[in-house]
Amino acid sequence: QKEVEQNSGPLSVPEGAIASLNCTYSDRGSQSFFWYRQYSGKSPELIMSIYSNGDKEDGRFTAQLNKASQYVSLLIRDSQPSDSATYLCAVKRNSGYALNFGKGTSLLVTP
Amino acid sequence: DTGVSQDPRHKITKRGQNVTFRCDPISEHNRLYWYRQTLGQGPEFLTYFQNEAQLEKSRLLSDRFSAERPKGSFSTLEIQRTEQGDSAMYLCASSGGTGSAGDTQYFGPGTRLTVL
């Protein structure tokens, strides 16, 4: 079992819709969770971090964390074509400082 | 506030050659990380520095790989006797501060290595 799992997609949503991206992790002791956006050929760009159960909102983005279910999600409201990218879920293990990344979910927002 | 910078951005080398990459973290950040990313995969952790001390190394970091951060500022990653399987994007990230801020890693633009 991989430590961080994401559906690779592609996930296709129409412009203006809500995109829902999901991630599960295996280390129950994990405390810090991150979503990064990566455009093709570019490096990961931090979108959001979340540390406590529940929702965290930042503009059009909402991160949701459920530690009991070991599940993290990212909602993108009013999706725009410029949101088309790969979204990486990253989890910091309870021990050490490294981030474990999923393979990423490819999102395509169609006009 | 300048971000993380990496040099070079692209490197093409022949199998068997040595290559060295440089990373300059965000100036106030004391933590520095190296990752490797291949096509279709998420970044994979290689090594971590806190100031000048290398505190964590992945099993991915074979004997041909060495990293340094001599003065706790910039870092270098050297790959000796490169192999075609070393072709990847090499990413540097940094973080700083206490608590959750210290966990938040910001990535540089990466160095894309192609081994012929």
Side-chain angles (χ1 to χ4, degrees):
Chain A
Q1 179 188 10
K2 284 188 62 69
E3 294 192 48
V4 180
E5 299 209 46
Q6 297 180 256
N7 187 326
S8 61
L11 173 65
S12 182
V13 300
E15 184 175 357
I18 296 175
S20 177
L21 305 161
N22 305 314
C23 169
T24 58
Y25 61 95
S26 61
D27 183 355
R28 185 171 289 278
S30 299
Q31 297 293 325
S32 304
F33 307 86
F34 305 88
W35 284 99
Y36 289 84
R37 176 175 63 197
Q38 187 171 30
Y39 293 111
S40 180
K42 303 296 186 181
S43 64
E45 172 192 10
L46 180 70
I47 298 176
M48 292 194 70
S49 59
I50 187 166
Y51 308 99
S52 304
N53 280 328
D55 295 359
K56 179 181 177 182
E57 187 174 318
D58 184 359
R60 296 186 297 112
F61 298 97
T62 298
Q64 300 174 318
L65 174 61
N66 183 327
K67 291 185 179 179
S69 300
Q70 296 174 242
Y71 178 91
V72 193
S73 65
L74 180 71
L75 300 178
I76 306 175
R77 289 181 300 281
D78 188 24
S79 296
Q80 301 296 308
S82 58
D83 294 327
S84 298
T86 295
Y87 288 80
L88 296 164
C89 173
V91 178
K92 179 183 171 297
R93 288 174 296 188
N94 194 29
S95 61
Y97 293 92
L99 292 180
N100 286 329
F101 284 84
K103 288 187 175 182
T105 298
S106 175
L107 173 66
L108 178 63
V109 181
T110 55
Chain B
D1 176 28
T2 58
V4 179
S5 61
Q6 293 186 245
D7 185 72
R9 298 289 302 277
H10 302 274
K11 178 70 177 179
I12 299 174
T13 191
K14 293 182 179 179
R15 189 177 55 187
Q17 298 294 305
N18 298 343
V19 294
T20 300
F21 308 142
R22 175 178 170 128
C23 171
D24 288 85
I26 294 171
S27 58
E28 64 269 27
H29 285 181
N30 63 338
R31 298 176 183 172
L32 186 147
Y33 315 77
W34 285 99
Y35 292 83
R36 179 175 70 185
Q37 187 177 25
T38 54
L39 197 63
Q41 304 294 317
E44 295 173 296
F45 171 74
L46 293 177
T47 192
Y48 157 70
F49 289 86
Q50 182 161 318
N51 300 313
E52 66 275 9
Q54 188 174 21
L55 297 184
E56 192 173 352
K57 290 168 62 174
S58 162
R59 290 172 297 172
L60 291 176
L61 211 67
S62 75
D63 291 345
R64 296 185 299 105
F65 288 69
S66 62
E68 294 183 341
R69 194 182 183 198
K71 297 182 180 179
S73 56
F74 72 91
S75 175
T76 58
L77 177 68
E78 181 182 18
I79 309 174
Q80 296 183 326
R81 305 182 302 281
T82 52
E83 301 172 356
Q84 289 185 324
D86 296 331
S87 296
M89 174 82 89
Y90 289 83
L91 294 162
C92 177
S94 71
S95 69
T98 58
S100 58
D103 290 344
T104 304
Q105 298 182 23
Y106 298 89
F107 283 84
T111 295
R112 182 165 297 282
L113 172 66
T114 301
V115 182
L116 301 176

